[in-house]
Amino acid sequence: SSAEWSSCTFHFDHDCSHTEDVFLTCDGVVDGGYSEFGEWSECSEICGEGIQNRTRTCTNPAPANGGADCVGEANQTRSCKENDCPVFSLVDGDGNDGVGARIQGLLLSNGGTVCDDLFTDTSAEAICREMGYLGQVSWESGAIKWAIQEEHDILLESVECSSAEWSSCTF
């Protein structure tokens, strides 16, 4: 009834087969070990510099019976950059910059045009404010209006903003 080895009896002669082999799990102090790091999270920003995180858990094995917790960091962080942020400008039909307030211009992003997919008044308001204007007066899309349009590739599409602030926009 004692748990000490010295209280046990045994003998080396046997009449067993391997179907009677013993498999044993013992209690004892188990120090924790980390799992592998998981996948990196999505970049925190859709453009420009952002942050990614990944974690690991103290489960390989988990500490048990008074064993030590894992040693080291459970989280890692790194910087990320998915895309350059759009830089907007308006150009007139001849391609001249700085058309000014209340004068219609072709909207460019990083030197290319902006597609109207998902574009709304809120998108127009956010982009005008991002360019330093007070807001948008109007916007339109459709057929080729100026020959200069064909000189630029479409570089930005599906601009959708939830407020008049550029930081609320996705593309």
Side-chain angles (χ1 to χ4, degrees), residues 7-171:
S7 68
C8 298
T9 60
F10 57 91
H11 57 88
F12 292 105
D13 299 336
H14 64 83
D15 60 356
C16 294
S17 70
H18 285 295
T19 61
E20 298 173 278
D21 287 345
V22 173
F23 296 89
L24 182 64
T25 301
C26 298
D27 283 337
V29 174
V30 177
D31 291 337
Y34 276 119
S35 65
E36 295 295 319
F37 276 101
E39 296 294 318
W40 287 103
S41 66
E42 289 187 24
C43 192
S44 62
E45 301 295 329
I46 59 172
C47 68
E49 292 292 324
I51 299 290
Q52 287 179 298
N53 300 298
R54 67 180 184 170
T55 59
R56 60 184 178 172
T57 57
C58 189
T59 56
N60 190 27
N65 304 317
D69 285 335
C70 290
V71 176
E73 297 297 320
N75 301 303
Q76 286 184 333
T77 301
R78 70 179 182 187
S79 62
C80 56
K81 183 176 181 180
E82 296 292 320
N83 301 291
D84 290 329
C85 287
V87 176
F88 296 104
S89 62
L90 296 175
V91 295
D92 66 17
D94 297 320
N96 298 315
D97 287 335
V99 295
R102 297 190 155 295
I103 299 173
Q104 184 181 35
L106 175 63
L107 177 60
L108 297 181
S109 169
N110 298 346
T113 64
V114 178
C115 182
D116 67 356
D117 292 352
L118 304 178
F119 205 86
T120 64
D121 284 341
T122 306
S123 304
E125 186 75 18
I127 290 171
C128 283
R129 287 178 177 217
E130 178 70 8
M131 289 190 294
Y133 294 101
L134 297 176
Q136 64 103 6
V137 174
S138 66
W139 70 275
E140 63 183 81
S141 66
I144 293 181
K145 187 172 185 171
W146 295 333
I148 190 165
Q149 287 172 263
E150 294 180 341
E151 295 175 18
H152 298 278
D153 292 329
I154 298 171
L155 293 183
L156 190 65
E157 66 177 290
S158 301
V159 176
E160 186 173 33
C161 305
S162 60
S163 78
E165 297 301 319
W166 176 245
S167 60
S168 77
C169 301
T170 59
F171 51 90

